[in-house]
Amino acid sequence: MNDLKFWMDSLGWLGAICFLVSYYLLVTKKWKATSMEYHIANLLGAVFLVLNTLYDASFPSVFINGSWAAIAVLGMVVDRKR
C-alpha cells in the first residue's frame, strides 16, 4: 500500500469516528446540538471524509460530506450570533 492511500484511508476512518462520536455525545446529552464542540466535530468529520472521497473519486460522497461541512459552518455562525 502506498503512503498516500494509507493517509487518505486514515482520514476517512477519522472522519467517520468524528461523526459517530459527536452523534453519540449528542444522543447521550453530553453535548447539545448548539455546542461549538458538536459543530467542530461534524466539520472535521466532513472535511476528513471529503478528502478521503475525493481521493477515491466517490463524488456523491464528496457532495454529501461537503454539504455536511457547509451545514456545520452555518450552525456555528447561527449559534455564535445567539
Side-chain angles (χ1 to χ4, degrees), residues 14-63:
L14 188 56
I17 290 167
C18 284
F19 280 167
L20 288 174
V21 168
S22 69
Y23 188 55
Y24 172 79
L25 293 171
L26 179 70
V27 167
T28 58
K29 307 217 183 300
K30 293 184 181 4
W31 282 355
K32 295 181 180 179
T34 56
S35 72
M36 198 56 61
E37 295 88 357
Y38 179 71
H39 294 309
I40 290 170
N42 276 287
L43 178 59
L44 286 174
V47 168
F48 293 158
L49 283 165
V50 162
L51 293 172
N52 170 262
T53 54
L54 270 173
Y55 177 79
D56 290 337
S58 179
F59 298 113
S61 292
V62 171
F63 171 76

